């Protein structure tokens, strides 16, 4: 009986098992079983991965990291599109109250000082001064003793006839003094910087004793603000309309722009102000060798008209007074969102440190182009050893670029930015050097642990630094006396609102 019951029980269990196995072998059941097993495996993997992330700190990304490290991606239109101009347009026509200056027998001779753009803005100031003082302006002499030692005369760089005829409704301009006046005594005058119209009205008393006034320096002779509207617009007519470059410069400049467009359609013009003279003047030595730093110190010491000799390089950098280094420019543009394939035209003189220092930028953006690579030797021969003419080519390419980025706020950067604003607020990204130095240091020290965080901070920092319309900035608060004029934004950096009006 016992065996029978056991046999009967085993028979029932076997039958039940067989019945189960029969159900398990159903295709639908097998598929369900596999799916549940796969889902459970995924759950275990994710759970363990989460624990791994929590147990290990995020890696520190150094600015020494591989240049292809991915920052936040930015939409193509955000990278290249100009900011909205809000219906603004250039406006330089004089008001109904405006009267041209005839000059008659009073002459103003001018010695323009500085590099190309310092001379350009200074000449525009002198056009306005000649108008205010009712004088005939003699074509200015250009600076031949500056760092660049360029022997070019006015007609080598500018279209002289165009300059004279364009401004004939404003001021009388002649190529040279009448012969009978060449030897007469002249009133040699250093006009006060950032002067008002009233100052030059007072200077008209010089005509009582002299027929010729010689102006020793032309840069920054007029105030940025609080001048009559017609005087401000005259400055714009002089700079943006009358001071056209000479035909050879204009012709080659346009060829360079066309060649860049044929290569990529869009390009960035980078004004890389990392030349020896600028680093010596600012006392910025970050990233340089001891020998290079000493060479710059000696140059600063031996340049008589540079008044400040002892400079703390670290303080300069922290304060945002140093040009961005080539490597910092690469990090910055990558953080903004530009891909490594971006075509970049480098507008600059000889980079201090040469190819070794440029390679730090090329590791981020290998598609760098210089005019020496874009033009033939024959095309550039005419401009050899003429730094101002060469700078004029860079100016044209920078003005016509899709995006302009200056590494330092020098004369070239300010002039190009102002001209681009005048022409319709073309995109100009102005690096916040003080803010960027802080971020660079935080990234290097490990305080920023992800490149995406760095990129996001850089983009937010420069959201409102891309050339959108805004009125010119006045003096810095708390500064009194004539020193406040130095802190005002340059008229030629932003001619809004006098020379930029609503289309309504």
């Amino acid at each position: 009986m016992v065996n029978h019951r056991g046999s009967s029980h085993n028979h029932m269990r076997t039958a039940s098992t067989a019945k189960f196995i029969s159900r398990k072998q159903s295709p639908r059941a097998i598929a369900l079983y596999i799916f549940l097993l796969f889902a459970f495996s995924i759950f275990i993997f994710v759970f363990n991965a989460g624990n791994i992330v929590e147990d290990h700190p995020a890696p520190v990304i150094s600015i020494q990291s591989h240049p292809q490290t991915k920052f936040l991606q930015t939409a193509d239109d955000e990278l290249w599109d100009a900011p909205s101009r809000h219906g603004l347009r250039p406006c330089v026509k004089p008001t109904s109250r405006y009267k041209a200056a005839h000059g008659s027998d009073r002459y103003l001779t001018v010695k323009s000082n500085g590099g190309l753009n310092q001379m350009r803005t200074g000449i525009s100031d002198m056009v306005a001064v000649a108008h205010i003082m009712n004088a005939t302006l003699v074509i200015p002499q250009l600076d031949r003793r500056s760092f660049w030692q360029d022997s070019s005369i006015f007609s080598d760089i500018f279209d002289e006839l165009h300059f004279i005829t364009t401004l004939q409704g404003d001021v009388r301009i002649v190529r040279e003094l009448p012969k009978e006046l060449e030897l007469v005594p002249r009133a040699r005058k250093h006009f006060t910087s950032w002067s008002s119209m009233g100052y030059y009205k007072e200077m008209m008393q010089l005509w009582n004793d002299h027929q010729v006034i010689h102006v020793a320096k032309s840069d920054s002779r007029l105030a940025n603000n609080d001048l009559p509207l017609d005087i401000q617009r005259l400055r714009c007519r002089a700079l943006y309309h009358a001071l056209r470059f000479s035909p050879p410069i204009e012709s080659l400049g346009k060829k360079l722009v066309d060649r860049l467009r044929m290569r990529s359609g869009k390009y960035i013009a980078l004004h890389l102000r990392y030349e020896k003279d600028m680093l010596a003047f600012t006392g910025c030595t970050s990233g340089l060798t001891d020998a290079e730093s000493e060479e710059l110190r000696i140059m600063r010491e031996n340049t008589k008209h540079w008044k400040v000799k002892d400079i703390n390089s670290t303080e300069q950098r922290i304060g945002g007074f140093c040009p961005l280094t080539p490597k910092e420019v690469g990090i910055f543009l990558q953080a903004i969102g530009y891909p490594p394939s971006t075509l970049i035209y480098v507008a600059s003189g000889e980079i201090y440190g040469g190819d070794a220092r440029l390679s730090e930028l090329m590791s981020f953006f290998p598609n760098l182009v210089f005019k020496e690579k874009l033009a033939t030797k024959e095309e550039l021969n005419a401009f050899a050893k003429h730094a101002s003419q060469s700078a004029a080519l860079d100016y044209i390419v920078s003005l016509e670029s899709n995006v302009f980025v200056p590494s330092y706020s020098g004369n070239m950067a300010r002039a190009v930015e102002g001209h681009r604003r005048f022409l319709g607020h073309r995109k100009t990204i102005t690096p916040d050097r003080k803010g960027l130095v802080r971020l660079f240091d935080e990234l290097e020290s490990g305080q920023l642990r992800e490149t995406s965080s760095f990129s996001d901070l850089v983009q937010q920092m420069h959201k409102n630094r891309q050339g959108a319309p805004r009125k010119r900035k006045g003096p810095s608060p708390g500064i009194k006396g004539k020193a406040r004029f130095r802190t005002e934004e340059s008229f030629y950096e932003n001619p809004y609102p006098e020379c930029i009006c609503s289309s309504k």
Side-chain angles (χ1 to χ4, degrees):
M1 288 291 291
V2 174
N3 290 339
H4 178 71
R5 285 199 298 270
S7 175
S8 175
H9 177 72
N10 288 339
H11 175 74
M12 291 172 63
R13 185 173 59 188
T14 300
S16 175
T17 302
K19 192 173 181 180
F20 173 77
I21 291 175
S22 173
R23 289 197 305 270
K24 184 179 178 182
Q25 290 176 340
S26 166
R28 181 177 297 177
I30 292 172
L32 179 61
Y33 177 79
I34 292 173
F35 174 79
L36 291 173
L37 184 62
F38 178 76
F40 181 74
S41 299
I42 292 295
F43 172 77
I44 294 299
F45 174 80
V46 171
F47 179 78
N48 289 335
N51 288 338
I52 291 173
V53 171
E54 291 176 356
D55 291 341
H56 294 79
V60 174
I61 306 298
S62 166
I63 60 174
Q64 304 289 343
S65 299
H66 192 278
Q68 302 306 324
T69 301
K70 292 183 178 179
F71 288 146
L72 290 179
Q73 295 297 311
T74 306
D76 191 66
D77 56 348
E78 291 182 35
L79 291 174
W80 297 103
D81 286 359
S84 172
R85 66 177 72 179
H86 300 290
L88 297 173
R89 59 175 177 79
C91 54
V92 295
K93 290 184 178 180
T95 67
S96 58
R97 299 183 299 275
Y98 182 77
K99 294 181 180 180
H102 300 294
S104 62
D105 59 348
R106 300 167 176 176
Y107 292 86
L108 204 64
T109 61
V110 176
K111 182 71 174 292
S112 295
N113 60 301
L116 173 69
N117 290 288
Q118 194 170 345
M119 290 191 294
R120 288 177 67 248
T121 55
I123 292 168
S124 299
D125 275 1
M126 286 299 104
V127 168
V129 169
H131 174 86
I132 295 170
M133 297 184 69
N134 195 27
T136 295
L137 177 66
V138 179
I139 289 291
Q141 297 176 331
L142 304 188
D143 191 343
R144 300 186 183 186
R145 296 187 301 172
S146 66
F147 173 80
W148 297 274
Q149 296 183 341
D150 191 334
S151 61
S152 300
I153 62 174
F154 189 94
S155 59
D156 291 329
I157 301 177
F158 305 109
D159 187 331
E160 192 172 82
L161 179 60
H162 178 79
F163 178 70
I164 294 172
T165 56
T166 301
L167 294 171
Q168 62 187 1
D170 301 292
V171 62
R172 180 170 174 251
I173 302 174
V174 296
R175 287 186 168 88
E176 55 189 16
L177 273 176
K179 290 185 178 181
E180 63 270 20
L181 295 179
E182 288 180 356
L183 299 178
V184 300
R186 304 180 190 184
R188 299 185 180 273
K189 188 69 180 175
H190 279 79
F191 287 139
T192 303
S193 300
W194 298 291
S195 294
S196 66
M197 185 170 175
Y199 169 85
Y200 288 104
K201 289 288 188 182
E202 291 180 6
M203 289 298 103
M204 290 181 70
Q205 64 184 345
L206 292 171
W207 297 130
N208 296 332
D209 301 313
H210 300 88
Q211 204 171 345
V212 182
I213 298 175
H214 178 69
V215 183
K217 287 188 176 182
S218 64
D219 65 317
S220 304
R221 297 304 109 180
L222 276 169
N224 293 301
N225 301 308
D226 301 323
L227 291 176
L229 178 61
D230 277 323
I231 296 301
Q232 298 288 57
R233 289 189 175 180
L234 173 55
R235 297 168 86 183
C236 289
R237 289 197 296 278
L239 187 63
Y240 303 133
H241 291 179
L243 273 177
R244 187 168 68 187
F245 292 120
S246 65
I249 294 174
E250 286 282 338
S251 176
L252 182 54
K254 290 176 181 177
K255 287 180 182 178
L256 299 183
V257 172
D258 291 340
R259 290 168 190 173
L260 285 165
R261 298 244 184 264
M262 288 177 65
R263 284 196 182 194
S264 182
K266 299 175 181 178
Y267 70 94
I268 292 175
L270 169 65
H271 185 230
L272 190 58
R273 194 68 170 96
Y274 206 73
E275 296 102 336
K276 184 179 180 180
D277 68 306
M278 177 52 65
L279 295 176
F281 176 75
T282 57
C284 296
T285 60
S286 176
L288 301 183
T289 65
D290 291 341
E292 288 173 330
S293 300
E294 179 64 11
E295 182 182 30
L296 297 179
R297 186 196 66 77
I298 292 173
M299 181 181 181
R300 184 169 66 254
E301 190 70 31
N302 292 337
T303 306
K304 293 182 180 179
H305 61 276
W306 292 350
K307 296 180 181 179
V308 182
K309 303 299 182 181
D310 296 322
I311 300 176
N312 186 310
S313 179
T314 301
E315 291 179 357
Q316 282 287 90
R317 181 176 179 272
I318 293 174
F321 302 117
C322 291
L324 295 181
T325 68
K327 180 165 67 175
E328 289 171 340
V329 171
I331 297 167
F332 168 66
L333 291 177
Q334 190 180 55
I336 289 291
Y338 289 98
S341 60
T342 302
L343 179 63
I344 299 179
Y345 177 88
V346 180
S348 72
E350 184 177 351
I351 300 300
Y352 192 59
D355 292 341
R357 200 139 282 132
L358 269 176
S359 66
E360 297 174 342
L361 172 58
M362 291 188 72
S363 65
F364 292 91
F365 295 94
N367 203 7
L368 294 185
V369 180
F370 301 81
K371 57 180 169 291
E372 290 78 9
K373 295 181 179 179
L374 208 55
T376 65
K377 288 185 178 180
E378 292 73 21
E379 288 173 327
L380 290 176
N381 276 342
F383 309 103
K385 298 182 181 179
H386 295 288
S388 292
Q389 294 183 49
S390 182
L393 294 173
D394 283 339
Y395 187 95
I396 293 171
V397 178
S398 298
L399 184 65
E400 298 299 328
S401 65
N402 298 87
V403 179
F404 176 63
V405 180
S407 67
Y408 186 74
S409 58
N411 292 315
M412 166 87 163
R414 291 193 292 268
V416 172
E417 179 179 354
H419 203 161
R420 289 171 68 86
R421 287 181 178 278
F422 177 78
L423 293 175
H425 291 90
R426 297 173 179 178
K427 187 162 190 168
T428 300
I429 305 177
T430 308
D432 179 350
R433 295 188 304 279
K434 184 175 182 179
L436 283 173
V437 165
R438 175 175 52 81
L439 291 182
F440 290 148
D441 290 345
E442 288 180 2
L443 191 65
E444 182 66 22
S445 66
Q447 295 179 55
L448 285 175
R449 293 186 174 274
E450 295 181 7
T451 51
S452 59
S453 299
F454 174 80
S455 181
D456 184 58
L457 289 171
V458 170
Q459 291 180 23
Q460 287 298 320
M461 183 182 290
H462 294 84
K463 188 176 181 180
N464 296 319
R465 299 177 67 92
Q466 304 197 21
R470 61 170 176 79
K471 291 187 177 181
R472 190 169 56 258
K473 297 175 183 176
S476 298
I479 300 179
K480 297 180 180 180
K482 290 186 177 181
R484 72 185 187 278
F485 296 130
R486 293 179 179 270
T487 67
E488 292 181 337
E489 184 175 18
S490 167
F491 172 77
Y492 296 112
E493 184 177 359
N494 184 10
Y496 180 49
E498 296 94 338
C499 301
I500 300 173
C501 310
S502 171
S503 57
K504 296 178 181 179

